[in-house]
Amino acid sequence: PSACKVGICFDIDGVFKYGGAYHPHGASLLRKVAAAGVPYVFMTNGGGGRTEAQYAAELESKLLEAEPTDVENSGVPISISTEQMVLSYSPFNEDLGDAKDTPLLIVGDPKEEVMNVARSYGLSKAIHISDYSEAHPLMNPFRQEDVYHDVSSEKWDEGIKGVCVFTDPKDFFEGCQLVIDVLLSSRPGEVEYEPEHQIPVYFSNPDLLWKTQYPQSRFGQGAFRLALERLYEARLGSLGLDAAAIAQRMEGWMVQYGKPEVVQHRYALRLLQRNASATSHDGSETLDRVYMVGDNIDSDMAGCIKMNAANAAGAASQNADRGETTTEEWIAASKEPGSTTGADAAPLSVAEWVAAQGADGDGCEGAGADSPPWRGVLVRTGVYTEGGDTGQAAVVVDDVEAAIDWIIDDDRFSP
């Protein structure tokens, strides 16, 4: 029997990078993975306004710089391609294909870097929020206080069709105010509220907090989303909408990307499958199993749980749309009474589905290119606290080196 075909999805911060320092054996570890014929990608909730090519080149350079000269094969080049990088906003490139020729309001800083990414994705009519504010100077009263502006010739013809939050906005007030303005109206300066006007907001990172050199965590993009959501709800109330109308208006307005969302992991899986095809002797994209190596149970390990839950739901009901089945919806559906056979069969439990794919043992049966099971490998080098919840990780190891050794162990590949 043939060995299992597996892929690895690596987190970066807390795995290959610790603050400003990079793992001294990171480059040699990637050589080891490549030598084993295992396709891999990196998935981070960061990006910082860099393109995938820029991030890949920087990571490659930093890992080589950190490598000691006495390490075997030290200095031998490693190659990290754009097809191996999943930044928080990377799925925008494919998922917003139908919106590439429509006006989109872009939120995030540094402005030039973020707009460079947007343009690289083909978002030809993207408008940065600071430029939108400059075009409509009265929208943000704190930009130029006590300055008279002649707005007699001001035009509100941008026709914004959606909002893309690439990174945290530098000006939190302006971000909240202007995004809510364009959510309420296509011509905010002329019409305060248009009931038929509804556009989506795409968020790239759900993290409420993130680590910097400051001793305590700082607010991240998740905090901006939370503030925006509450303010939008309150603003609708101020316009006289009742609770039912507000609830209807709030439904489906936000699309969340980033770990641990299913849509983000499915994008990573597509890249893994392409890499698998490139390294396979027969061009096959089939993967029997995916390992997520990370330090965070709330993003890395939770993503594995959500993917397995979504795959289990899809296996039970063939009509689950991509990225729209949440863990909570699936769990609720699994508790509903139903037939045990045929198309109306009640969903398997997540554990039953994963076991059926061979992920709880050494088997590979049942796993296919579209829905391989995910297994979490939790490392102790980042935010994970020893003795705490492991987030259903398959194993907890000291660092990424131990993680790779565990994955590449012959037992992991046995059919």
Side-chain angles (χ1 to χ4, degrees):
S2 60
C4 293
K5 186 65 180 290
V6 304
I8 304 176
C9 189
F10 290 112
D11 185 18
I12 298 175
D13 290 295
V15 178
F16 283 95
K17 179 186 177 186
Y18 323 107
Y22 286 77
H23 196 298
H25 296 157
S28 63
L29 291 173
L30 294 180
R31 295 188 194 102
K32 182 175 183 177
V33 175
V38 177
Y40 65 90
V41 298
F42 296 93
M43 180 161 57
T44 174
N45 272 353
R50 284 163 287 188
T51 65
E52 288 76 11
Q54 290 171 330
Y55 208 117
E58 180 180 317
L59 180 59
E60 184 179 305
S61 173
K62 294 293 186 181
L63 288 174
L64 287 171
E65 288 176 9
E67 188 171 46
T69 56
D70 59 351
V71 171
E72 184 179 359
N73 294 322
S74 175
V76 175
I78 58 173
S79 178
I80 302 175
S81 73
T82 57
E83 284 287 294
Q84 292 173 292
M85 298 303 306
V86 183
L87 308 182
S88 65
Y89 39 75
S90 292
F92 290 174
N93 191 25
E94 293 186 3
D95 289 5
L96 300 185
D98 293 339
K100 290 190 175 184
D101 293 323
T102 59
L104 297 174
L105 188 68
I106 305 299
V107 178
D109 289 289
K111 171 189 168 181
E112 293 305 323
E113 284 84 343
V114 167
M115 290 302 292
N116 180 51
V117 175
R119 286 189 288 268
S120 76
Y121 290 172
L123 303 179
S124 60
K125 295 185 179 180
I127 305 169
H128 194 268
I129 191 168
S130 63
D131 291 332
Y132 190 73
S133 183
E134 287 287 347
H136 306 290
L138 298 185
M139 293 186 82
N140 183 354
F142 303 111
R143 263 187 175 264
Q144 299 178 29
E145 296 183 74
D146 301 323
V147 176
Y148 174 77
H149 292 277
D150 180 3
V151 294
S152 58
S153 60
E154 186 174 9
K155 296 181 179 180
W156 297 87
D157 57 359
E158 292 89 354
I160 302 296
K161 302 300 184 185
V163 180
C164 294
V165 184
F166 277 76
T167 63
D168 306 9
K170 184 181 295 184
D171 189 330
F172 206 87
F173 169 83
E174 183 168 274
C176 289
Q177 181 67 75
L178 270 63
V179 170
I180 290 174
D181 284 342
V182 299
L183 287 175
L184 293 173
S185 173
S186 63
R187 297 170 292 130
E190 297 175 346
V191 181
E192 185 175 24
Y193 174 59
E194 296 173 306
E196 302 304 316
H197 171 76
Q198 289 186 279
I199 61 174
V201 181
Y202 302 96
F203 291 93
S204 67
N205 182 350
D207 292 346
L208 176 68
L209 302 169
W210 66 297
K211 291 292 293 182
T212 67
Q213 285 187 301
Y214 190 72
Q216 284 77 45
S217 297
R218 304 288 83 189
F219 286 134
Q221 193 184 129
F224 175 64
R225 191 201 82 180
L226 185 63
L228 189 69
E229 188 172 10
R230 296 294 179 265
L231 288 170
Y232 185 33
E233 187 175 11
R235 185 71 176 92
L236 291 170
S238 74
L239 292 168
L241 277 69
D242 60 26
I246 291 174
Q248 183 178 21
R249 182 83 180 187
M250 298 291 291
E251 184 177 352
W253 72 281
M254 181 269 292
V255 182
Q256 182 67 69
Y257 286 83
K259 297 184 294 184
E261 300 303 319
V262 167
V263 65
Q264 197 79 2
H265 285 72
R266 285 188 169 156
Y267 179 81
L269 176 60
R270 293 200 295 276
L271 294 193
L272 269 176
Q273 289 169 332
R274 293 171 196 166
N275 281 280
S277 175
T279 58
S280 173
H281 63 86
D282 60 358
S284 172
E285 293 186 347
T286 299
L287 289 173
D288 299 307
R289 192 177 302 151
V290 177
Y291 292 95
M292 179 71 222
V293 179
D295 66 315
N296 192 323
I297 64 169
D298 294 324
S299 57
D300 304 316
M301 301 304 109
C304 294
I305 295 171
K306 283 195 169 191
M307 277 297 287
N308 289 333
N311 288 339
S317 59
Q318 299 296 317
N319 59 0
D321 289 333
R322 175 175 154 305
E324 294 184 353
T325 302
T326 67
T327 305
E328 293 75 15
E329 290 170 341
W330 179 83
I331 290 174
S334 70
K335 294 178 180 178
E336 294 176 358
S339 170
T340 57
T341 60
D344 295 327
L348 297 169
S349 71
V350 177
E352 288 171 334
W353 181 84
V354 173
Q357 311 310 304
D360 280 347
D362 291 323
C364 301
E365 66 279 8
D370 293 332
S371 58
W374 286 60
R375 301 189 78 183
V377 181
L378 186 61
V379 297
R380 297 185 173 97
T381 47
V383 299
Y384 170 67
T385 302
E386 187 66 33
D389 180 12
T390 63
Q392 299 182 31
V395 66
V396 181
V397 297
D398 286 338
D399 57 14
V400 64
E401 184 170 6
I404 290 171
D405 286 342
W406 186 84
I407 294 169
I408 296 181
D409 183 286
D410 288 340
D411 289 344
R412 306 276 78 77
F413 287 82
S414 300

